[in-house]
Amino acid sequence: MKKLTVLISGASIAGPALALWLTRYGCEVTVVERAPSVRPGGQAVDFKGATHRTVLERMGILDDVLARQTGGTDQTIIDADGRSQAVIPGEFTGGDIEIRRGDLADILYEHADCEYLFGDTVTALTETPDGVDVTFANAGPRRFDLVVGADGIHSNVRRLAFGPERDYVNFLGHYYALAELGEQVGGGEAVMYNEPGRMAAVGGPKASAFFVFASPELDYDRGDTGTQRKLVAEAYRDAGWRVPELIAKLPDAREFYLDSLARVTIDHYSRGRVVLLGDAAYGNTLGGFGTGLAIVGAYVLAGELLAADGDHRVAFARYEEQLRTYAKVSQRGSAGPFLAPPSPLRIKLRDWTFKSRFLLGLMLKATDKFATDIELKDYASGS
């Protein structure tokens, strides 16, 4: 492939996965990331089925991922007195391979031989016949052949190239929060407690405390974690079980993250020389397929650029043709009513699905089908 200069915005999963492939194919890649470094920790992510494993093998990172996997952890659903109501098996929550997001990002960073601009962000994009002129908040202006938005549901590149977030991101009626409250809170058995429209969980490979709650859309500054912690505390006012203890620790949480459950719906993944990848194009918060979609999407996008000898118009069209079908799972449903059912009856019905081996089997088969619903090309061999 002819040598392309490519800017990728976002250094979580999709961005570094694409960088790994593009540098292997001879491109000159720069990854810009708002955070000061690769972000550590975070919730567990997972891979399901032969398609995901094949991509990890072709990337050359499968052994590293297996060496740092957390292993699927059963999660017990309990009532306010701590009595077990049902068990969510680790194969459902953790897929075939489960790993902390930060550990996966670390592996990808180590394998992608490219330039990283940490602590910076794109402020303007201007397409010309010869490339895209990019200005940054800190670095000097530069020109790239292509720009990739791999910067999540709240994509800055999508906003600059396609338009405001409200045109593409649909709020799904719930919020989630992750908080590191200390090992004494998160250690031991993984348990999940529900009240109508509210869920709180501790233990397991996620953050030490994990919350999901139904809510009207909230207006808050995404950089103001103090206000966000207060919003979570208000959402869990008068909750039972250990929730008051967890909420009392929120002000001192060493790590805290709040965001909405949302779905990205967009007519086209590319515009000119700018293309979207991962959650920026087909995100569905906590939908269970985001990491798999990210690595498969990166594989296909890089491979189609290779097959088209760098012709982005051909490559972007072929990438979208394949991913539009594969990513259709992200356009279905919402994890909110499943994790935080709206009524006592819905909570009981959800729990019952995990007590029924038949229903659980159907759900596992469905996730396997979605994860493998693409025919991978072998771009390296040209087939």
Side-chain angles (χ1 to χ4, degrees):
M1 181 171 71
K2 67 179 180 181
K3 187 172 184 179
L4 297 172
T5 57
V6 182
L7 174 69
I8 301 172
S9 177
S12 181
I13 305 302
L18 180 64
L20 181 154
W21 287 113
L22 291 181
T23 54
R24 188 177 296 177
Y25 296 154
C27 296
E28 185 179 318
V29 178
T30 299
V31 179
V32 60
E33 166 59 47
R34 187 186 300 271
S37 63
V38 175
R39 295 175 180 175
Q43 66 191 101
V45 297
D46 59 81
F47 299 103
K48 304 175 178 74
T51 298
H52 294 175
R53 182 177 285 266
T54 296
V55 173
L56 293 173
E57 286 178 334
R58 292 179 182 176
M59 293 173 76
I61 66 170
L62 178 60
D63 288 345
D64 290 339
V65 170
L66 292 174
R68 298 172 73 171
Q69 67 178 323
T70 59
T73 303
D74 291 349
Q75 186 171 47
T76 304
I77 302 171
I78 59 171
D79 64 14
D81 296 318
R83 294 173 299 200
S84 174
Q85 304 300 299
V87 175
I88 305 175
E91 61 184 317
F92 181 82
T93 60
D96 298 330
I97 304 171
E98 186 181 70
I99 184 172
R100 287 187 182 274
R101 177 177 290 276
D103 288 344
L104 178 59
D106 224 18
I107 292 169
L108 291 169
Y109 174 73
E110 292 168 0
H111 282 78
D113 183 18
C114 63
E115 175 189 20
Y116 276 80
L117 299 177
F118 286 110
D120 209 344
T121 188
V122 177
T123 57
L125 299 169
T126 304
E127 185 165 341
T128 72
D130 301 320
V132 184
D133 291 331
V134 181
T135 59
F136 299 91
N138 299 316
R142 292 163 64 174
R143 175 172 290 182
F144 297 88
D145 293 316
L146 304 174
V147 173
V148 182
D151 42 357
I153 280 185
H154 304 294
S155 171
N156 180 48
V157 165
R158 188 188 59 228
R159 178 182 62 83
L160 292 170
F162 291 76
E165 181 172 307
R166 65 177 177 272
D167 292 344
Y168 306 107
V169 178
N170 306 300
F171 174 61
L172 297 179
H174 291 75
Y175 286 83
Y176 77 102
L178 299 163
E180 288 293 348
L181 304 180
E183 292 183 4
Q184 71 277 14
V185 169
E189 184 184 11
V191 295
M192 183 172 85
Y193 168 69
N194 279 112
E195 294 175 355
R198 301 193 289 196
M199 183 275 278
V202 297
K206 300 186 186 297
S208 62
F210 177 40
F211 305 91
V212 176
F213 59 95
S215 170
E217 194 161 7
L218 303 172
D219 183 17
Y220 62 90
D221 181 347
R222 294 186 62 236
D224 182 359
T225 60
T227 296
Q228 293 171 33
R229 294 171 203 232
K230 292 177 182 177
L231 289 172
V232 174
E234 181 61 28
Y236 284 84
R237 182 187 294 273
D238 301 324
W241 185 57
R242 292 177 57 195
V243 175
E245 169 199 346
L246 301 177
I247 295 300
K249 294 178 180 292
L250 282 184
D252 298 320
R254 62 178 182 268
E255 292 182 25
F256 177 86
Y257 183 78
L258 172 71
D259 204 353
S260 63
L261 270 64
R263 180 190 301 118
V264 176
T265 303
I266 194 165
D267 291 337
H268 297 288
Y269 297 160
S270 63
R271 181 167 292 182
R273 292 175 175 268
V274 179
V275 64
L276 302 177
L277 174 66
D279 282 352
Y282 29 82
N284 187 331
T285 315
L286 303 183
F289 291 89
T291 306
L293 286 171
I295 65 156
V296 174
Y299 174 79
V300 172
L301 176 55
E304 291 299 343
L305 281 166
L306 176 67
D309 193 25
D311 185 333
H312 66 279
R313 291 163 296 189
V314 173
F316 289 175
R318 290 176 177 168
Y319 156 68
E320 177 158 349
E321 181 182 1
Q322 293 181 70
L323 262 293
R324 181 69 68 177
T325 300
Y326 186 56
K328 64 182 182 294
V329 64
S330 70
Q331 298 302 302
R332 302 178 182 180
S334 166
F338 177 81
L339 293 170
S343 68
L345 175 60
R346 291 282 294 275
I347 292 173
K348 289 182 180 178
L349 290 173
R350 190 275 318 275
D351 295 351
W352 185 61
T353 62
F354 290 107
K355 296 178 182 179
S356 167
R357 300 180 83 178
F358 175 73
L359 292 176
L360 177 60
L362 288 180
M363 289 194 294
L364 290 171
K365 285 181 180 179
T367 58
D368 286 346
K369 180 179 182 298
F370 289 133
T372 57
D373 191 20
I374 188 172
E375 186 176 342
L376 289 179
K377 298 179 183 179
D378 187 351
Y379 295 103
S381 67
S383 62

mmCIF file of all heavy atoms in Angstrom, residues 341-361:
data_model
loop_
_atom_site.group_PDB
_atom_site.id
_atom_site.type_symbol
_atom_site.label_atom_id
_atom_site.label_comp_id
_atom_site.label_asym_id
_atom_site.label_seq_id
_atom_site.Cartn_x
_atom_site.Cartn_y
_atom_site.Cartn_z
ATOM 1 N N PRO A 341 -33.987 -3.066 36.021
ATOM 2 C CA PRO A 341 -35.382 -3.220 35.599
ATOM 3 C C PRO A 341 -36.296 -2.214 36.302
ATOM 4 O O PRO A 341 -36.057 -1.850 37.456
ATOM 5 C CB PRO A 341 -35.713 -4.657 36.004
ATOM 6 C CG PRO A 341 -34.395 -5.368 36.022
ATOM 7 C CD PRO A 341 -33.420 -4.337 36.521
ATOM 8 N N PRO A 342 -37.368 -1.771 35.610
ATOM 9 C CA PRO A 342 -38.173 -0.662 36.126
ATOM 10 C C PRO A 342 -39.189 -1.021 37.194
ATOM 11 O O PRO A 342 -39.807 -0.114 37.770
ATOM 12 C CB PRO A 342 -38.887 -0.144 34.865
ATOM 13 C CG PRO A 342 -38.984 -1.345 33.975
ATOM 14 C CD PRO A 342 -37.738 -2.132 34.228
ATOM 15 N N SER A 343 -39.410 -2.294 37.481
ATOM 16 C CA SER A 343 -40.431 -2.676 38.454
ATOM 17 C C SER A 343 -40.012 -3.952 39.166
ATOM 18 O O SER A 343 -39.164 -4.708 38.667
ATOM 19 C CB SER A 343 -41.770 -2.905 37.749
ATOM 20 O OG SER A 343 -41.698 -4.061 36.919
ATOM 21 N N PRO A 344 -40.622 -4.253 40.336
ATOM 22 C CA PRO A 344 -40.304 -5.521 41.008
ATOM 23 C C PRO A 344 -40.582 -6.735 40.127
ATOM 24 O O PRO A 344 -39.812 -7.706 40.145
ATOM 25 C CB PRO A 344 -41.226 -5.503 42.226
ATOM 26 C CG PRO A 344 -41.438 -4.044 42.515
ATOM 27 C CD PRO A 344 -41.491 -3.398 41.162
ATOM 28 N N LEU A 345 -41.669 -6.692 39.337
ATOM 29 C CA LEU A 345 -41.984 -7.808 38.455
ATOM 30 C C LEU A 345 -40.900 -7.997 37.403
ATOM 31 O O LEU A 345 -40.467 -9.124 37.128
ATOM 32 C CB LEU A 345 -43.334 -7.585 37.787
ATOM 33 C CG LEU A 345 -43.743 -8.642 36.741
ATOM 34 C CD1 LEU A 345 -43.819 -10.025 37.378
ATOM 35 C CD2 LEU A 345 -45.057 -8.262 36.077
ATOM 36 N N ARG A 346 -40.447 -6.893 36.807
ATOM 37 C CA ARG A 346 -39.411 -6.987 35.778
ATOM 38 C C ARG A 346 -38.094 -7.501 36.376
ATOM 39 O O ARG A 346 -37.339 -8.205 35.709
ATOM 40 C CB ARG A 346 -39.219 -5.630 35.104
ATOM 41 C CG ARG A 346 -40.386 -5.192 34.236
ATOM 42 C CD ARG A 346 -40.394 -5.908 32.893
ATOM 43 N NE ARG A 346 -39.251 -5.521 32.093
ATOM 44 C CZ ARG A 346 -39.211 -4.448 31.308
ATOM 45 N NH1 ARG A 346 -40.280 -3.651 31.225
ATOM 46 N NH2 ARG A 346 -38.137 -4.165 30.616
ATOM 47 N N ILE A 347 -37.828 -7.138 37.618
ATOM 48 C CA ILE A 347 -36.627 -7.659 38.287
ATOM 49 C C ILE A 347 -36.741 -9.173 38.429
ATOM 50 O O ILE A 347 -35.798 -9.921 38.131
ATOM 51 C CB ILE A 347 -36.432 -6.997 39.667
ATOM 52 C CG1 ILE A 347 -36.076 -5.518 39.505
ATOM 53 C CG2 ILE A 347 -35.329 -7.717 40.456
ATOM 54 C CD1 ILE A 347 -36.039 -4.741 40.812
ATOM 55 N N LYS A 348 -37.902 -9.661 38.867
ATOM 56 C CA LYS A 348 -38.098 -11.102 39.036
ATOM 57 C C LYS A 348 -38.005 -11.842 37.705
ATOM 58 O O LYS A 348 -37.417 -12.922 37.624
ATOM 59 C CB LYS A 348 -39.453 -11.362 39.694
ATOM 60 C CG LYS A 348 -39.512 -10.966 41.159
ATOM 61 C CD LYS A 348 -40.878 -11.288 41.758
ATOM 62 C CE LYS A 348 -40.922 -10.896 43.235
ATOM 63 N NZ LYS A 348 -42.260 -11.166 43.832
ATOM 64 N N LEU A 349 -38.589 -11.271 36.657
ATOM 65 C CA LEU A 349 -38.525 -11.906 35.349
ATOM 66 C C LEU A 349 -37.090 -11.971 34.830
ATOM 67 O O LEU A 349 -36.675 -12.976 34.237
ATOM 68 C CB LEU A 349 -39.415 -11.148 34.356
ATOM 69 C CG LEU A 349 -40.929 -11.277 34.573
ATOM 70 C CD1 LEU A 349 -41.679 -10.349 33.628
ATOM 71 C CD2 LEU A 349 -41.375 -12.718 34.379
ATOM 72 N N ARG A 350 -36.330 -10.884 35.040
ATOM 73 C CA ARG A 350 -34.910 -10.892 34.641
ATOM 74 C C ARG A 350 -34.145 -11.983 35.388
ATOM 75 O O ARG A 350 -33.375 -12.744 34.792
ATOM 76 C CB ARG A 350 -34.308 -9.512 34.896
ATOM 77 C CG ARG A 350 -32.896 -9.258 34.326
ATOM 78 C CD ARG A 350 -31.762 -9.723 35.237
ATOM 79 N NE ARG A 350 -31.951 -9.428 36.626
ATOM 80 C CZ ARG A 350 -31.630 -8.268 37.213
ATOM 81 N NH1 ARG A 350 -31.090 -7.300 36.519
ATOM 82 N NH2 ARG A 350 -31.834 -8.096 38.518
ATOM 83 N N ASP A 351 -34.372 -12.054 36.704
ATOM 84 C CA ASP A 351 -33.679 -13.070 37.496
ATOM 85 C C ASP A 351 -34.053 -14.483 37.041
ATOM 86 O O ASP A 351 -33.217 -15.391 37.024
ATOM 87 C CB ASP A 351 -34.020 -12.903 38.981
ATOM 88 C CG ASP A 351 -33.501 -11.595 39.553
ATOM 89 O OD1 ASP A 351 -32.736 -10.906 38.856
ATOM 90 O OD2 ASP A 351 -33.876 -11.262 40.693
ATOM 91 N N TRP A 352 -35.312 -14.645 36.657
ATOM 92 C CA TRP A 352 -35.790 -15.961 36.249
ATOM 93 C C TRP A 352 -35.075 -16.450 34.999
ATOM 94 O O TRP A 352 -34.853 -17.653 34.827
ATOM 95 C CB TRP A 352 -37.297 -15.898 36.012
ATOM 96 C CG TRP A 352 -37.927 -17.223 35.711
ATOM 97 C CD1 TRP A 352 -37.958 -18.334 36.516
ATOM 98 C CD2 TRP A 352 -38.614 -17.580 34.506
ATOM 99 N NE1 TRP A 352 -38.629 -19.363 35.890
ATOM 100 C CE2 TRP A 352 -39.048 -18.931 34.652
ATOM 101 C CE3 TRP A 352 -38.929 -16.900 33.334
ATOM 102 C CZ2 TRP A 352 -39.750 -19.604 33.660
ATOM 103 C CZ3 TRP A 352 -39.635 -17.568 32.339
ATOM 104 C CH2 TRP A 352 -40.037 -18.897 32.513
ATOM 105 N N THR A 353 -34.696 -15.525 34.112
ATOM 106 C CA THR A 353 -34.000 -15.943 32.896
ATOM 107 C C THR A 353 -32.672 -16.621 33.227
ATOM 108 O O THR A 353 -32.214 -17.503 32.488
ATOM 109 C CB THR A 353 -33.740 -14.760 31.943
ATOM 110 O OG1 THR A 353 -32.897 -13.799 32.587
ATOM 111 C CG2 THR A 353 -35.042 -14.095 31.530
ATOM 112 N N PHE A 354 -32.054 -16.239 34.335
ATOM 113 C CA PHE A 354 -30.785 -16.853 34.711
ATOM 114 C C PHE A 354 -30.987 -18.145 35.499
ATOM 115 O O PHE A 354 -30.056 -18.944 35.633
ATOM 116 C CB PHE A 354 -29.931 -15.862 35.503
ATOM 117 C CG PHE A 354 -29.413 -14.745 34.658
ATOM 118 C CD1 PHE A 354 -29.937 -13.469 34.779
ATOM 119 C CD2 PHE A 354 -28.428 -14.960 33.723
ATOM 120 C CE1 PHE A 354 -29.481 -12.438 33.981
ATOM 121 C CE2 PHE A 354 -27.967 -13.942 32.915
ATOM 122 C CZ PHE A 354 -28.495 -12.672 33.051
ATOM 123 N N LYS A 355 -32.181 -18.358 36.007
ATOM 124 C CA LYS A 355 -32.489 -19.627 36.667
ATOM 125 C C LYS A 355 -32.883 -20.699 35.656
ATOM 126 O O LYS A 355 -32.808 -21.893 35.950
ATOM 127 C CB LYS A 355 -33.620 -19.431 37.675
ATOM 128 C CG LYS A 355 -33.276 -18.509 38.836
ATOM 129 C CD LYS A 355 -34.478 -18.338 39.758
ATOM 130 C CE LYS A 355 -34.178 -17.388 40.896
ATOM 131 N NZ LYS A 355 -35.336 -17.196 41.793
ATOM 132 N N SER A 356 -33.311 -20.267 34.477
ATOM 133 C CA SER A 356 -33.737 -21.203 33.436
ATOM 134 C C SER A 356 -32.557 -21.530 32.522
ATOM 135 O O SER A 356 -32.040 -20.660 31.826
ATOM 136 C CB SER A 356 -34.877 -20.581 32.614
ATOM 137 O OG SER A 356 -35.109 -21.326 31.438
ATOM 138 N N ARG A 357 -32.147 -22.776 32.508
ATOM 139 C CA ARG A 357 -31.021 -23.170 31.660
ATOM 140 C C ARG A 357 -31.372 -22.987 30.188
ATOM 141 O O ARG A 357 -30.518 -22.657 29.371
ATOM 142 C CB ARG A 357 -30.648 -24.627 31.944
ATOM 143 C CG ARG A 357 -30.247 -24.875 33.385
ATOM 144 C CD ARG A 357 -29.883 -26.323 33.626
ATOM 145 N NE ARG A 357 -28.513 -26.590 33.244
ATOM 146 C CZ ARG A 357 -27.923 -27.777 33.389
ATOM 147 N NH1 ARG A 357 -28.597 -28.795 33.886
ATOM 148 N NH2 ARG A 357 -26.677 -27.952 33.021
ATOM 149 N N PHE A 358 -32.639 -23.189 29.860
ATOM 150 C CA PHE A 358 -33.072 -23.034 28.474
ATOM 151 C C PHE A 358 -32.938 -21.586 28.019
ATOM 152 O O PHE A 358 -32.357 -21.301 26.963
ATOM 153 C CB PHE A 358 -34.514 -23.510 28.331
ATOM 154 C CG PHE A 358 -35.095 -23.272 26.964
ATOM 155 C CD1 PHE A 358 -34.694 -24.034 25.874
ATOM 156 C CD2 PHE A 358 -36.034 -22.268 26.774
ATOM 157 C CE1 PHE A 358 -35.221 -23.805 24.617
ATOM 158 C CE2 PHE A 358 -36.565 -22.034 25.510
ATOM 159 C CZ PHE A 358 -36.162 -22.804 24.434
ATOM 160 N N LEU A 359 -33.467 -20.646 28.816
ATOM 161 C CA LEU A 359 -33.417 -19.230 28.430
ATOM 162 C C LEU A 359 -31.989 -18.712 28.423
ATOM 163 O O LEU A 359 -31.602 -17.942 27.542
ATOM 164 C CB LEU A 359 -34.284 -18.398 29.372
ATOM 165 C CG LEU A 359 -35.796 -18.640 29.274
ATOM 166 C CD1 LEU A 359 -36.534 -17.818 30.325
ATOM 167 C CD2 LEU A 359 -36.305 -18.288 27.881
ATOM 168 N N LEU A 360 -31.201 -19.145 29.409
ATOM 169 C CA LEU A 360 -29.796 -18.729 29.440
ATOM 170 C C LEU A 360 -29.070 -19.247 28.203
ATOM 171 O O LEU A 360 -28.278 -18.531 27.578
ATOM 172 C CB LEU A 360 -29.124 -19.246 30.702
ATOM 173 C CG LEU A 360 -27.626 -18.955 30.837
ATOM 174 C CD1 LEU A 360 -27.356 -17.453 30.822
ATOM 175 C CD2 LEU A 360 -27.067 -19.586 32.111
ATOM 176 N N GLY A 361 -29.352 -20.479 27.819
ATOM 177 C CA GLY A 361 -28.737 -21.033 26.624
ATOM 178 C C GLY A 361 -29.086 -20.252 25.379
ATOM 179 O O GLY A 361 -28.233 -20.020 24.518
#
